[in-house]
Each structure stands twice: as structure tokens, then as C-alpha cells.
Amino acid sequence: MPPPSPLPEAPAIPSKKHSFEVHGTQLSDDFAWLKAENWREVLTDPAALDPSIRTVLERENAYTEGVFAGTEAFQKALVAEMRGRIKEDDSSVPEPDGPFSYFTRYREGGQHPLVCRIPRDGHVETILLDSDKEASGHAFFDLGGADHSPDHRLMAWSADRKGSEFFTIKVRDLETGHDLTDEIPRTSGGVVWLGNSAGFYYVELDDNHRPVRVKRHLIGTSADRDIVIYEEPDSGFFVKLGLTQSGAFVLIEASDHETSEVHLLDRADPLAKPRLVEPRTVALQYDVEHHGRQIIILTNADGAEDFKIMTAPVSNPGRAQWKDLVPYRAGTMILFVMCLARHLVRLEREDAKPRIVVREFASGREDIIAFDEDTYALGVDPGYEHDTNVIRYRYSSLTTPSEVRDLDLATGTRTLRKRQVVPSGHHPEDYVTRRLFATAPDGAQVPISIVHRRDVALDGSAPCLLYGYGSYGVSIPAGFRTNILSLVDRGFVYAIAHVRGGTEKGWRWYLDGKRENKPNTFTDFIACGEKLAAAGYTARGRIVAHGGSAGGMLMGAVANLAPDLFAGIVSEVPFVDVLNTMLDGELPLTPPEWPEWGNPAADEAAFRTILSYSPYENIGPQAYPAVLALGGLTDPRVTYWEPAKWIARLRQKKTGGGPVMLKLNMEAGHGGAAGRFDRLEEVALTYLFALRSIDGFGG
């Protein structure tokens, strides 16, 4: 890496006085003007952005490029290095469904997937959808769904060409390879086909980008004639579609972050009406599967905090009929349930380790699939079929590339179907992975997953990239990641802080990191950094913190609380303007987010809690580590003005420290660049920032 050049002068972002009062407290937001009045229009038409705001964002991008001037060749080398670990013509394992097996693959040099099929017992491939071709001529392209009809003649597919996550559905004739005239805009992207293949159900988004309506589309008809099957009246609930593994029922699922409700649609009846399973009750969650005359229910009912499995008759599915099948066991969290014709498959986690449990319906006998490594990731691929004895699972660890295996439940035979190939080479024995525990201020033991080269000296001299998320109950798996090797092979320790707000240690771990308990997430992360330093894996001031979205909020909070612990902060699409966003019920995601963070407009206690930690409000006159914020102009989840405002106030308030930078993708949304190689350019910038944070930026 070339030596740092003198830093260019950071641009001044103009402030404009703006104050308001909430619950008797006077607040100021002098960068509120960066939120365009026509923000809804900007989501779908970036050219509509106010020129004065665009100028600010473009100056920020130019400044960030200036800070890294002279490193272009090194960034290209990083991209080439990471690309060299990708099998460019990679493909998924074909998934059987009736007469065909379906899969995706990439062509050499291709950015986007090809959707393909082969005869179930043959090898002649048909390309059903060429996403590289569909993406041609578009600055952004994201394939949403590609769902074939039950009779295998048609495929409904969707794409987002703006990054705004408004997906347009089209229908392709798989015999001719041509799209029909059907076209449905402003959807969430996926479909569930009617049993007779004459049409499908989909979810329509409203003007505030909320998935609120389930509609039925019949092939060959105009979208404006589609029938509304279900409309959600509560702006705090989002709607999604599912399908039981049996294929018998379409599931309409309405939920926020703590309450759910499911309606059944008979898939065989093209005129079916939704049938409610159990009316929503605050804090009651349930998911539904189907087996014969019963539905199978994964739920937290009756105080089953880590969930249990119950049954009820299809004919009378209300809660009064629910009976235990797999009882609740505190500390064992059931994550996922799948019903095959003869077996119930569940994925559960205990002591932060996942395992698969297979239960035979007829006998009740259970078999466990578990692994011995300290840290690993495990998942189940549901597949298309119901009447089968074969399940497919995926395993990897921070040192072990991903493996896909089929398990025959009748014979116990395990068949390796795919092992991830690292073309440039990878030797797991050169690396060490282990788990540590940090003690939080209140005594909680916070897991940390670690990987480093075996030859790294654990004397405090190594730099560390510490990743964290900690929201919505999301668990960060300790799975194989090829990109991080670009830092690990340069002497970094890579660590994942499994902080509260996730579910690594069960549902209570999540509850202890949300709403009034949210500050635990931040102090957990700081405790993890301090533990890594105390144990010799790194040292204070040699840690680069990394998080995105709600994890970006974590980054903003720890930057305020413990700036001297970190050399740098990478915050991708960062949710850092928490208070202002949660006060604005018109924003796309705000009402559904209130159960997670609290409603500061209606609840003064929630207001006080959010005000106490919201990264934007708590920026103070102190030295900050170097900061890199990444965002997307058309992001409907974390809107572009959040990172822009955060960087503006950081630059205004800080008294010293590293440079604070914003890199905003003017042609993408929440996920950044959509192409698999284009995305590497953003990763390379992140890693360059991490390296430069440790080595020092030019003065």
C-alpha cells in the first residue's frame, strides 16, 4: 500500500437553523435540510434530487476520493485478490421439483446469476433467465425472484433497476423464452403461484414503500384488474407471502418485530378467501407449516420465550386447539421448522451453537445433526418437494469453506453435493478459529467469534476488525467469508461480537438489547473490544469497528462512547439518525420499527431512552477515530440523509482525530452495488480504510 498523502481539506456542509420541541425538550437539527422534500420521488427517480443537496453529496464523494488518492492501484489489487477467491462460473446444487431440477449459476466474468434447469435425471441445461442480459444498459440491477409455475411452463420473475426495492414482476413463457405482456410494478418481488398455474399471488407496496396488499394476478390480464385478497390496516405491520412445504396452503403473514398473524389460502382453490389461524395478540408470535390434517405451529405462546412447536387441526386452527408437539426448553431456541411427508425438521441453537433435529412423525424418534468446531454456521435448504426423505444442509466455519450435503433420512447416508472452491487457494490449517467471552458491565457473558492466521503473534500488536450488529434478533453466523482473508492474511484478527439484540444466546438475549435495554448492545460491543485487547489479540487504538444498517447505529453509538478504543469506524448504510427517523411516521419503515426501538412521539420514556443514545444527537466535542460512512441515494430503509447528516455533524463538532468521510452510491440503495464484482469495489474501499486507519492517514 502506498504511503499516505497529505489530506485534502474537508468540505464544509452548510447548516441551517432548525429547532423543534418534543415532550418539553428543545431539539436542534441544523442539517435537516439535507432531507429532500420530494424524497419519495427520489427513491424511484434519483435525477429528481434537489441540485443543492446533490452538490453536497458529490462534494463528499470527491473528498473521500481525495483522501484515498494514490491508492487506486492498491484498491484494484485488492479487488483482484478477492475476485481470485471467487469461482467465477460457480453454481448452486440443482434442486429437484417433479420432472426438472432448478439451479442458478454464473458465467465466467458475469455479474448476475443465470436461472437454469435440467431434466431431473439428465444434464441438458436450459437457461431460463439471463440476468446479465437483463441488467445490460442499467447502472443498477437486482434480481428479486424467479419462481416457476407448478406445471413448469411459466416463470414469474422480478427486478429492481433503481435500488429503491420497488420490484417489477414479469412472466416468462419457458417454452419460447419470451416474456408475456403481464407486467406488475411496485411489488416486493416474490410470488406464490396458484395450484393450477393460471396466476399467482404477490405483495404490492404502497407509496410509503410498505408491503400492505396481497393481490391475485391471472395470466394474460392487466395488472390494474388484479384482485385485492388481503389489505393490512395497521401501518406498523408488514405483509409477506409464504407457502407450506406441502404446497397445500399459501400463507399470508402480517407482522411487526414482536407480533404476528397468519391467514391460510387454499392453494387448490383459485377463488380462495383468507382464513385466519389466530388473531394477533401483542407479543404473540407464530409461524405455520402443514402436515396432513394438522398445521404445525412454531410459537412463543404460553411463555415459551425460545419457542416451541405445537399442532392444531386444519379445520379449526385457533389457539384454543393448539397442543404441544415439541415442548419448550429454556435456553434452546428453535429457529426454523420444515414439514416433510414423514419427518419434521427443525433448526435450533443452544449455547450459541446451531444443530439440526429430525423427528419422525410416526414414531416420534429424533436424530441430531451437530458439529464439533467451536464456532460454525449451519443452515437447512427447504427445497421444493414434500414427499421426500432427503434434506439438504449447509455447513461452514470461519476457517472451513462451505459444504452442501444431502442426508437421506431413511438410510442415514450423507452425500457431499458441493464444497466451496477458492480458486486462488485456501489452507484451513493455516488459520485458527475460537470463541471467547467478554464480561459486560452488568456481568453478561458476550460471545466473540475469532479467526486469525496461525502465525500471528498474540501480544497485542495485531490490528483487529471487529464486526457487530445486534438488532431485530438477528444472529450473525460464524461462517466462512472469503473477503476477510484480505485483512486476515495481512495480519488482522477478525472478530464477530455477538452482542445483545441478536439471538445467539436465545430470545432473552434479544430482549435484553432492544427498546429500554438498547444501551446493552453498545456496552457489550465495547466490552468485546476491551476483552480482545486484554487477551492480547489486539490493543486499544488498533481496533477497526465495522457494522451496517442497525449495526451502523451501533458504530455511531460506540464512536461517541469509547472513541479512544478504536482506530477507525466503518458504518455502512448507517441507521444513525434514530430519534428523528422514529419521530417521522411518514417514513417507509418507521411505524413497523416502533416495537423495536419505541415510539418517541407517543411515549416520553421511549423518547428519553432514544435521545440518550441516538448517534446523531450525542456527537460531542471530542476527538473521534477515522470514520467512513457508506450509503445509497435510493435506499428506502436507511435514507441517504442519515449518513450525510451524521458526517456533517461529526465534522462540525469533533475536536480532533481522524478524517470523517462519506461515500454515497448515487445509483444504488440499501445493499450497495448489486453486481457481485462491483460490490468488491466497495469492500476494497472498506478494507483500505481499515488498513489506513491502523497505519495512519496523512496529515
Side-chain angles (χ1 to χ4, degrees):
M1 185 171 65
S5 303
L7 291 178
E9 183 177 352
I13 299 179
S15 62
K16 299 180 182 181
K17 289 293 181 183
H18 175 68
S19 61
F20 56 101
E21 185 176 296
V22 182
H23 297 299
T25 298
Q26 197 71 19
L27 300 171
S28 64
D29 185 5
D30 294 347
F31 298 103
W33 70 274
L34 291 170
K35 174 187 173 183
E37 292 183 4
N38 65 334
W39 60 267
R40 290 181 182 85
E41 183 183 3
V42 173
L43 284 179
T44 55
D45 182 12
L49 183 65
D50 184 313
S52 64
I53 299 174
R54 180 178 294 276
T55 296
V56 167
L57 302 180
E58 290 175 344
R59 284 176 179 169
E60 287 298 316
N61 282 345
Y63 170 65
T64 300
E65 291 176 7
V67 170
F68 294 111
T71 66
E72 293 82 3
F74 182 73
Q75 290 184 59
K76 288 182 179 179
L78 275 178
V79 169
E81 185 179 292
M82 290 186 286
R83 185 167 175 169
R85 300 190 192 101
I86 297 173
K87 187 175 186 295
E88 293 205 7
D89 59 351
D90 201 7
S91 63
S92 65
V93 179
E95 196 73 67
D97 185 19
F100 297 101
S101 290
Y102 292 82
F103 62 101
T104 60
R105 70 171 178 85
Y106 290 87
R107 60 167 56 91
E108 193 87 20
Q111 293 266 22
H112 302 279
L114 312 179
V115 180
C116 309
R117 73 180 178 192
I118 55 176
R120 186 179 186 119
D121 299 316
H123 302 284
V124 179
E125 173 193 90
T126 301
I127 297 176
L128 307 178
L129 181 73
D130 184 339
S131 294
D132 283 325
K133 179 180 178 181
E134 300 297 337
S136 180
H138 298 279
F140 181 92
F141 178 88
D142 183 24
L143 179 65
D147 302 289
H148 61 272
S149 59
D151 65 6
H152 304 278
R153 294 187 306 106
L154 301 171
M155 183 176 71
W157 68 278
S158 64
D160 168 22
R161 291 182 168 86
K162 298 289 186 182
S164 59
E165 299 181 39
F166 281 110
F167 289 88
T168 297
I169 297 172
K170 296 185 177 183
V171 179
R172 178 155 298 185
D173 184 320
L174 297 183
E175 291 296 322
T176 67
H178 296 124
D179 288 332
L180 307 179
T181 57
D182 304 63
E183 185 168 310
I184 309 168
R186 303 174 72 83
T187 80
S188 60
V191 312
V192 177
W193 282 90
L194 297 173
N196 62 6
S197 301
F200 51 78
Y201 300 101
Y202 65 93
V203 176
E204 182 179 65
L205 308 184
D206 67 10
D207 289 340
N208 284 329
H209 206 280
R210 296 172 187 150
V212 296
R213 279 179 292 277
V214 175
K215 288 188 168 184
R216 183 178 63 233
H217 176 78
L218 298 180
I219 301 302
T221 63
S222 172
D224 58 16
R225 296 178 59 189
D226 291 350
I227 302 298
V228 176
I229 302 300
Y230 175 87
E231 183 159 7
E232 174 54 48
D234 188 336
S235 63
F237 275 63
F238 279 8
V239 177
K240 65 178 181 179
L241 285 171
L243 180 67
T244 60
Q245 190 74 20
S246 66
F249 293 101
V250 178
L251 305 172
I252 299 175
E253 303 167 330
S255 64
D256 60 14
H257 291 298
E258 63 182 15
T259 303
S260 62
E261 179 180 88
V262 178
H263 299 254
L264 305 176
L265 283 171
D266 183 346
R267 195 185 186 205
D269 180 1
L271 301 178
K273 303 293 184 184
R275 188 155 60 92
L276 179 62
V277 173
E278 172 63 24
R280 65 190 66 172
T281 300
V282 174
L284 174 67
Q285 299 186 57
Y286 68 95
D287 294 320
V288 173
E289 257 285 10
H290 169 240
H291 182 254
R293 296 180 179 180
Q294 294 181 319
I295 59 169
I296 307 294
I297 305 154
L298 175 62
T299 180
N300 66 349
D302 309 318
E305 189 172 75
D306 289 322
F307 294 81
K308 63 179 177 176
I309 301 174
M310 307 183 77
T311 65
V314 169
S315 59
N316 187 13
R319 187 175 177 184
Q321 308 302 317
W322 295 7
K323 296 181 180 179
D324 282 5
L325 178 65
V326 178
Y328 171 57
R329 289 184 296 151
T332 300
M333 184 171 177
I334 304 177
L335 306 167
F336 166 81
V337 171
M338 176 176 71
C339 289
L340 302 179
R342 289 165 291 279
H343 299 89
L344 177 69
V345 181
R346 69 182 188 265
L347 179 66
E348 62 185 32
R349 185 166 52 234
E350 185 175 15
D351 293 330
K353 286 189 175 183
R355 66 189 178 207
I356 298 169
V357 183
V358 180
R359 180 188 184 97
E360 188 177 63
F361 277 115
S363 68
R365 190 190 78 240
E366 292 193 345
D367 296 310
I368 297 174
I369 304 168
F371 300 85
D372 296 329
E373 286 193 84
D374 264 1
T375 61
Y376 59 86
L378 182 64
V380 178
D381 293 336
Y384 296 111
E385 297 190 321
H386 174 63
D387 189 6
T388 178
N389 289 321
V390 177
I391 66 168
R392 180 167 293 168
Y393 65 89
R394 293 165 285 107
Y395 171 87
S396 73
S397 76
L398 288 168
T399 61
T400 307
S402 176
E403 296 179 346
V404 178
R405 295 182 184 270
D406 283 351
L407 171 64
D408 190 313
L409 302 177
T411 65
T413 303
R414 300 189 190 192
T415 304
L416 178 66
R417 298 301 307 273
K418 180 182 177 181
R419 179 176 285 122
Q420 182 179 358
V421 174
V422 182
S424 60
H426 175 69
H427 304 285
E429 65 274 11
D430 292 342
Y431 303 88
V432 175
T433 182
R434 57 171 52 96
R435 174 157 286 166
L436 294 182
F437 289 87
T439 302
D442 64 355
Q445 295 297 296
V446 186
I448 313 170
S449 298
I450 300 168
V451 65
H452 60 82
R453 286 194 63 88
R454 192 172 294 277
D455 56 5
V456 164
L458 302 181
D459 57 4
S461 61
C464 174
L465 186 74
L466 179 60
Y467 182 85
Y469 188 74
S471 291
Y472 307 116
V474 172
S475 174
I476 304 301
F480 191 64
R481 298 157 168 80
T482 59
N483 288 342
I484 65 169
L485 296 176
S486 287
L487 289 181
V488 172
D489 286 345
R490 288 176 170 83
F492 268 72
V493 171
Y494 177 77
I496 304 169
H498 300 287
V499 294
R500 279 176 282 188
T503 52
E504 284 87 343
K505 296 178 72 173
W507 197 255
R508 175 56 50 182
W509 200 244
Y510 166 49
L511 297 179
D512 285 346
K514 70 180 291 190
R515 284 203 297 267
E516 67 275 8
N517 297 321
K518 192 64 209 171
N520 286 336
T521 304
F522 317 138
T523 52
D524 283 1
F525 190 85
I526 292 168
C528 289
E530 291 173 338
K531 174 66 176 181
L532 290 166
Y537 287 93
T538 188
R540 294 183 68 87
R542 291 186 66 74
I543 301 171
V544 177
H546 183 201
S549 197
M553 176 201 60
L554 168 62
M555 297 300 100
V558 301
N560 290 331
L561 293 170
D564 61 329
L565 182 60
F566 306 105
I569 302 281
V570 181
S571 200
E572 299 191 54
V573 289
F575 179 36
V576 283
D577 195 16
V578 184
L579 182 60
N580 288 310
T581 294
M582 288 298 101
L583 285 169
D584 188 350
E586 293 299 312
L587 290 174
L589 296 185
T590 293
E593 296 291 296
W594 286 329
E596 181 77 14
W597 314 103
N599 182 346
D603 181 352
E604 184 172 355
F607 167 76
R608 299 292 171 197
T609 298
I610 296 173
L611 180 61
S612 74
Y613 69 74
S614 181
Y616 181 64
E617 274 71 28
N618 286 279
I619 295 169
Q622 60 181 343
Y624 278 85
V627 174
L628 174 63
L630 303 172
L633 180 59
T634 57
D635 187 348
R637 299 173 186 247
V638 178
T639 47
Y640 75 85
W641 58 84
E642 291 212 25
K645 288 171 59 177
W646 183 52
I647 290 297
R649 184 170 275 187
L650 275 171
R651 200 173 288 152
Q652 180 190 63
K653 297 281 189 179
K654 75 185 190 79
T655 59
V660 296
M661 296 165 279
L662 172 65
K663 176 67 173 177
L664 198 76
N665 191 325
M666 305 297 280
E667 297 173 332
H670 197 67
R676 58 175 178 157
F677 302 133
D678 289 343
R679 171 61 183 155
L680 294 180
E681 295 180 9
E682 297 176 348
V683 177
L685 180 64
T686 295
Y687 289 176
L688 172 61
F689 171 83
L691 291 162
R692 186 54 50 89
S693 295
I694 297 298
D695 295 339
F697 287 86

